[in-house]
Amino acid sequence: MKRKILIEPDPILRKKCEPIEKVNDDIRNLMKDMLQTMYDAPGIGLAAVQIGVLKRLVVIDISKEEKKRDPLFLINPEILSKSENTSVYEEGCLSLPGQFAEIERPAKCLLKYVDLNGKEKKLKADGLLSTCIQHEVDHLNGILFIDYLSKLKKDMIIKKLVKHKKEIERVVV
Ligand code: GNR
Ligand code: NI
């Protein structure tokens, strides 16, 4: 089932998410919904908080072609280490529709997570995957990429989103 994505400003997006204690069918079904919502958007990553569920769950798929889908299901993801060197990507966020900015982050990271079978795994990431992982783990801690921008740029984006949300309301009512 496709879910609705929350758009900033929304206080839920600023909450800290809770770890999963047991990987069961409820969690697997929720992550299936997250993946469907992400592919439909479309996006390359989605944190559960973006659909209003305050749990430490992330789905990612950075594959380019629809036919070669390669989803990653990350439960309780934790970044163990980050590289000294950084890289810059133009980031977008499904909770910040139409907004993009160049963000500098550690180029590589080492991730620990639990998979859909409840098994602990580690993953070394670089490139877009590393950036996407850091972007998603930020969501679990209530952080959005606009928090790394100057107050002026951040305020401009929030103002646009408030206007955008009011326009959506007008269509619905
Ligand atoms: O779809 C997305 N694209 C993207 C591009 C650069 C860096 C991060 C991302 S994640 C984003 C989807 C999203 O909002 N995930 O939380
Ligand atoms: Ni995002």
Side-chain angles (χ1 to χ4, degrees):
M1 185 183 70
K2 194 185 121 188
R3 310 281 196 106
K4 213 179 104 192
I5 296 175
L6 302 181
I7 293 172
E8 172 79 347
D10 188 315
I12 299 195
L13 290 171
R14 297 313 194 160
K15 297 209 187 285
K16 196 172 154 72
C17 299
E18 293 298 324
I20 302 300
E21 284 180 6
K22 195 167 170 30
V23 182
N24 55 25
D25 283 343
D26 288 347
I27 297 298
R28 284 184 278 266
N29 285 328
L30 175 58
M31 293 193 91
K32 220 170 153 188
D33 282 1
M34 287 168 61
L35 196 69
Q36 191 186 343
T37 305
M38 181 190 81
Y39 284 142
D40 181 79
I44 60 168
L46 187 81
V49 59
Q50 292 180 276
I51 57 165
V53 178
L54 292 169
K55 293 187 196 304
R56 302 189 83 80
L57 298 172
V58 165
V59 292
I60 291 177
D61 190 341
I62 60 163
S63 67
K64 291 254 168 62
E65 291 165 64
E66 246 178 73
K67 288 168 210 154
K68 295 177 188 163
R69 281 178 170 175
D70 187 17
L72 254 176
F73 297 89
L74 309 177
I75 300 166
N76 299 340
E78 192 186 322
I79 295 171
L80 298 177
S81 63
K82 297 173 182 180
S83 63
E84 287 282 336
N85 61 316
T86 61
S87 61
V88 176
Y89 274 93
E90 167 131 292
E91 295 196 20
C93 181
L94 296 173
S95 296
L96 304 165
Q99 308 304 316
F100 302 90
E102 291 197 333
I103 305 293
E104 185 177 11
R105 297 184 188 267
K108 299 182 184 185
C109 63
L110 175 63
L111 187 76
K112 182 177 96 172
Y113 66 97
V114 171
D115 74 8
L116 282 179
N117 300 314
K119 205 175 148 209
E120 196 169 292
K121 297 221 168 147
K122 279 182 190 165
L123 173 66
K124 274 188 201 167
D126 61 11
L128 181 60
L129 180 60
S130 172
T131 286
C132 190
I133 286 170
Q134 293 174 59
H135 174 117
E136 302 310 336
V137 171
D138 272 354
H139 273 300
L140 305 182
N141 297 318
I143 299 166
L144 300 173
F145 79 71
I146 51 172
D147 300 346
Y148 298 110
L149 303 175
S150 68
K151 184 174 184 318
L152 183 73
K153 280 189 188 167
K154 180 176 170 175
D155 287 349
M156 262 168 47
I157 289 177
I158 290 177
K159 212 172 125 182
K160 281 185 203 161
L161 292 169
V162 169
K163 197 175 157 218
H164 170 80
K165 283 182 90 171
K166 282 185 181 153
E167 278 163 4
I168 297 175
E169 273 170 39
R170 230 178 278 147
V171 177
V172 174
V173 177

